[in-house]
C-alpha cells in the first residue's frame, strides 16, 4: 500500500509543514525499511510515514490529511496482492488523481514469483496510477526509490510551485495504453 | 582379524568426520587410553583407518565390537536416518505388574531373532538410563549378516514407544516387530503417522515434552511494540496503523502454537481424497462424482517454526488451518483427508 504523504499544517507551529504519507502492505519488514529510507532523505519539510497492512485504517480521530498512498505489492506473495486489491475499495476516488501509486518488489527473482507482472500492470492501469518497480531488499535501490517517492510526495502536498499531483500524473502517462514502468 | 571385519571397521572410520574421531573412539571405550593417545589424528583418513585396525587387532576385536562402534556413530549422527514411531500395547487384563528387566529384554530379543534367522548381529547400548539403542544386521539361514544395511531401534522401556529407522530390507520388518513385542511383553504394535529425521523432536512430541515454557518468559511483555518488532524511533515519524491487528495476530499465534520453541520436523504430508469444490459453478472438475486424489507436502528445514511465523510475517491470515496447527498435539505429520 502506498505511502501517503500528509501535510501536517495545523499542528506544527509555523514551521515548514510536515508531509504525511501512507505505506500500505502486508510485508512489515519491507515497509519498515522503506519508511526509514524515506525519512533519511534530508528534505526541508517534515515527513511523516504511516504504515498499514490494509485499508480502511482503524478509525482514529486525529489523523492528518494524507497526501500520497503507496501500495507495496510483493510478487512473491499472492496474499499481498489480495490485500492491496481489497484495500483499494476503501480509497476515496479523489486520491486516484495522482495521489496513489503502486510499488512492486520481488520481480528480480522470477522463480519465487507467484504473481504475474501483467497482473499488477493491469491493476495499475485500471486505477490509472503509476507503477514503480524496485527491489526493496537492496539498500541502494531502496534509497533511490525513497528519493523518488519524496519528490512525488512533495508535488502531491503542493510544495513544488507550478506543478500539481494531476499534472505529474499526466506527465507520467505514456501515450500508448499500458502504463509506463519507469518514473 | 577377518578381512570382512577389517573392511567393516575401515568403512566406519572413513565415515566418521575427523573432528569427531577422538570423541567417538573414546565413547566406544574399546581401545585403551594409551592406544587412543597414540593415534595420529592429523594424517589422512586411509592411514588413520589402518592404524586403528592394527590397534584393534592387537586387542582381538570382534565383529560385535565393530557393530557397537557403528551403533555409536549412528547415535552421534541420528539425523542421517529417517525414524518411524510405533506404539505398543498390552492386552487388557494382562499382568501389568511386570517390571522391566533390561537383561531379560536383551537376551529374549536376541534369542528370538537368532532362532528365526540364525545369522544376525545384534548390539545393545543403554543410553542416558531411560532408553536402549539396538542395532540389528540381517542375514539369512545361509548367508552372513549384511553389516551395511542395519536397522536401528530406540526403545524407551518406561513407555510403550519405539522408534525404528527406515529399513531397506522390508522382509525383516515383521520379525523385528515380533521380537520387540515378545521381548518387551506387549501384544500389539501400531505405527503412528509420524516420521522425521529429528529423533529428539519425535521424542519431544511423543512424550509431550515440547511445551516447556521457559521460567523467565513473560507473555504479556511481548505485547509491547518493541518486542513485536515495530520500531517507532526517528522521533515517532513512522506511525504504525495496525498495532491492534498485530497484537491480535500475535495472540492468535501464541494460542495456536504456544510461546515455546517448536519441535523440529522437516515435512507434513496431506493425502486428499475429497470431492472437488468450487465457488465458480461448472468446469470440468466440478461434476466429478469420484473424489479427487491429491497429495500436498509441506517441506522446510524447520516446518513448525515456519508455520508459526506465517501470520506475523503477513503471509497468511489467522487463524491458520487446524490441520497445520495440530501436528504436535496429534502426534501426526501424515494425514489422510476424506469427505465427512
Amino acid at each position: 500500500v502506498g505511502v501517503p504523504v500528509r501535510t501536517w499544517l495545523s499542528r506544527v507551529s509555523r514551521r515548514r509543514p510536515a508531509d504525511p504519507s501512507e505505506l500500505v502492505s502486508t510485508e512489515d519488514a519491507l515497509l519498515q525499511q522503506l519508511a526509514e529510507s524515506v525519512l533519511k532523505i534530508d528534505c526541508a519539510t517534515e515527513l511523516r510515514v504511516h504504515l498499514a497492512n490494509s485499508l480502511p485504517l482503524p478509525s482514529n480521530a486525529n489523523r492528518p490529511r494524507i497526501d500520497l498512498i503507496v501500495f507495496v505489492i510483493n510478487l512473491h506473495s499472492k496474499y499481498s496482492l489480495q490485500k492491496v486489491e481489497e484495500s483499494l475499495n476503501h480509497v476515496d476516488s479523489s486520491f486516484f488523481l495522482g495521489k496513489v501509486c503502486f510499488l512492486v518488489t520481488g520481480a528480480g527473482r522470477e522463480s519465487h514469483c507467484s504473481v504475474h507482472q501483467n497482473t499488477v500492470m493491469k491493476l495499475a492501469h485500471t486505477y490509472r496510477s503509476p507503477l514503480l518497480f524496485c527491489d526493496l531488499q537492496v539498500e541502494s535501490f531502496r534509497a533511490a526509490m525513497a528519493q523518488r517517492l519524496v519528490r512525488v510526495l512533495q508535488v502531491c502536498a503542493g510544495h513544488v510551485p507550478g506543478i500539481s499531483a494531476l499534472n505529474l500524473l499526466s506527465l507520467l502517462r505514456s501515450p500508448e495504453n499500458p502504463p509506463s514502468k519507469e518514473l | 582379524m577377518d578381512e570382512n571385519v577389517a573392511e567393516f571397521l575401515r568403512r566406519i572410520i572413513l565415515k566418521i568426520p575427523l573432528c569427531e574421531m577422538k570423541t567417538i573412539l573414546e565413547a566406544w571405550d574399546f581401545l585403551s587410553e594409551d592406544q587412543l593417545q597414540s593415534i595420529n589424528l592429523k594424517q589422512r583418513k586411509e592411514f588413520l583407518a589402518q592404524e586403528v585396525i592394527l590397534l584393534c587387532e592387537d586387542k582381538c576385536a570382534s565383529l560385535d565390537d565393530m557393530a557397537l562402534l557403528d551403533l555409536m556413530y549412528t547415535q552421534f549422527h541420528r539425523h542421517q536416518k529417517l525414524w518411524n514411531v510405533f506404539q505398543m500395547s498390552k492386552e487388557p487384563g494382562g499382568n501389568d505388574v511386570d517390571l522391566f528387566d533390561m537383561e531379560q529384554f536383551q537376551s529374549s530379543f536376541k534369542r528370538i531373532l537368532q532362532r528365526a534367522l540364525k545369522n544376525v548381529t545384534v548390539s545393545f547400548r543403554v543410553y542416558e538410563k531411560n532408553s536402549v539403542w539396538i542395532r540389528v544386521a540381517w542375514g539369512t539361514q545361509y548367508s552372513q549378516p549384511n553389516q551395511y544395511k542395519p536397522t536401528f531401534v530406540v526403545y524407551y522401556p518406561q513407555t510403550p514407544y519405539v522408534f525404528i529407522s527406515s529399513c531397506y530390507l522390508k522382509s525383516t520388518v515383521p520379525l523385528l516387530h515380533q521380537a520387540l513385542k515378545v521381548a518387551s511383553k506387549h501384544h500389539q504394535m501400531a505405527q503412528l503417522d509420524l516420521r522425521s529425521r529429528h529423533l529428539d523432536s519425535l521424542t519431544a512430541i511423543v512424550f509431550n515434552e515440547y511445551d516447556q515454557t521457559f521460567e523467565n518468559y513473560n507473555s504479556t511483555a511481548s505485547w509491547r511494540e518493541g518486542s513485536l518488532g515495530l520500531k517507532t524511533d526517528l522521533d515517532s515519524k513512522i506511525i504504525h496503523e495496525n498495532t491492534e491487528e498485530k497484537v491480535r495476530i500475535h495472540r492468535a499465534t501464541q494460542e495456536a502454537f504456544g510461546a515455546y520453541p517448536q519441535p523440529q520436523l522437516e515435512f507434513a504430508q496431506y493425502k486428499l481424497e475429497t470431492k472437488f469444490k468450487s465457488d465458480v459453478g461448472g468446469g470440468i472438475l466440478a461434476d466429478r462424482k469420484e473424489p479427487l486424489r491429491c497429495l500436498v507436502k509441506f517441506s522446510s528445514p524447520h516446518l513448525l517454526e515456519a508455520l508459526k511465523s506465517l501470520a506475523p510475517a503477513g503471509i497468511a491470515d489467522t487463524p491458520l488451518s487446524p490441520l497445520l496447527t495440530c501436528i504436535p498435539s496429534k502426534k501426526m505429520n501424515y494425514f489422510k483427508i476424506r469427505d465427512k
Side-chain angles (χ1 to χ4, degrees), chain B residues 139-280:
Chain B
T140 67
Q141 301 281 359
Y142 311 105
S143 62
Q144 288 301 308
N146 183 348
Q147 299 298 336
Y148 302 105
K149 290 201 169 127
T151 306
F152 293 91
V153 178
V154 183
Y155 174 43
Y156 285 77
Q158 313 301 333
T159 76
Y161 292 104
V162 190
F163 302 86
I164 305 179
S165 66
S166 290
C167 185
Y168 299 105
L169 309 167
K170 300 281 182 222
S171 54
T172 60
V173 168
L175 177 59
L176 178 65
H177 291 191
Q178 182 69 14
L180 279 167
K181 278 190 286 190
V182 174
S184 65
K185 301 205 182 95
H186 287 86
H187 301 107
Q188 311 283 1
M189 190 145 153
Q191 180 163 11
L192 269 63
D193 288 319
L194 184 61
R195 253 170 238 122
S196 172
R197 291 188 176 274
H198 299 276
L199 183 63
D200 299 324
S201 294
L202 290 177
T203 50
I205 290 174
V206 156
F207 300 136
N208 292 321
E209 285 166 356
Y210 57 89
D211 56 357
Q212 307 296 320
T213 318
F214 299 118
E215 277 174 358
N216 297 326
Y217 189 84
N218 184 2
S219 55
T220 54
S222 60
W223 290 19
R224 275 183 276 116
E225 274 187 11
S227 22
L228 277 175
L230 304 171
K231 289 183 264 188
T232 49
D233 48 356
L234 293 167
D235 297 324
S236 303
K237 286 200 179 137
I238 302 180
I239 295 117
H240 295 270
E241 297 285 355
N242 297 111
T243 38
E244 272 181 35
E245 177 68 9
K246 290 205 208 307
V247 168
R248 183 192 73 83
I249 289 176
H250 186 86
R251 203 177 332 130
T253 307
Q254 294 272 65
E255 275 170 16
F257 289 93
Y260 38 81
Q262 302 291 309
Q264 191 170 2
L265 294 175
E266 320 84 87
F267 50 82
Q269 188 171 296
Y270 300 83
K271 218 175 207 174
L272 301 170
E273 281 178 29
T274 53
K275 277 181 75 177
F276 185 77
K277 289 190 188 86
S278 169
D279 293 330
V280 180

Side-chain angles (χ1 to χ4, degrees), chain B residues 44-59:
Chain B
R44 281 180 58 183
K45 277 246 204 97
E46 289 87 16
F47 303 127
L48 177 64
Q50 289 303 317
E51 210 181 306
V52 174
I53 291 174
L54 288 170
L55 289 173
C56 290
E57 267 182 355
D58 285 342
K59 277 200 109 172

Side-chain angles (χ1 to χ4, degrees), chain B residues 8-21:
Chain B
F8 180 35
L9 175 60
R10 193 183 77 89
R11 293 217 209 163
I12 299 175
I13 300 288
L14 290 178
K15 253 195 317 190
I16 302 177
L18 267 175
C19 51
E20 293 171 15
M21 190 66 70

Side-chain angles (χ1 to χ4, degrees), chain A residues 49-53 63 79, chain B residues 237 239 241-242 246 314 317:
Chain A
V49 181
H50 295 243
L51 306 184
N53 291 127
R63 192 177 287 115
Y79 182 66
Chain B
K237 286 200 179 137
I239 295 117
E241 297 285 355
N242 297 111
K246 290 205 208 307
D317 257 331

Side-chain angles (χ1 to χ4, degrees), chain B residues 26 85 122 230 283 299 306:
Chain B
E26 275 174 1
V85 187
V122 186
L230 304 171
S299 306

Side-chain angles (χ1 to χ4, degrees), chain A residues 116-179:
Chain A
H116 207 282
Q117 281 187 31
N118 275 339
T119 314
V120 291
M121 282 165 74
K122 275 202 206 112
L123 183 69
H125 181 63
T126 308
Y127 285 93
R128 303 288 189 269
S129 297
L131 179 63
L132 307 170
F133 284 82
C134 174
D135 188 348
L136 288 176
Q137 296 194 320
V138 179
E139 229 257 273
S140 48
F141 297 159
R142 200 168 60 229
M145 179 53 66
Q147 283 211 311
R148 286 175 164 177
L149 288 177
V150 169
R151 287 305 285 166
V152 173
L153 178 55
Q154 287 172 331
V155 169
C156 292
H159 289 202
V160 179
I163 181 166
S164 71
L166 200 49
N167 290 151
L168 186 60
L169 187 62
S170 44
L171 281 174
L172 293 177
R173 190 77 55 77
S174 70
E176 319 88 41
N177 271 334

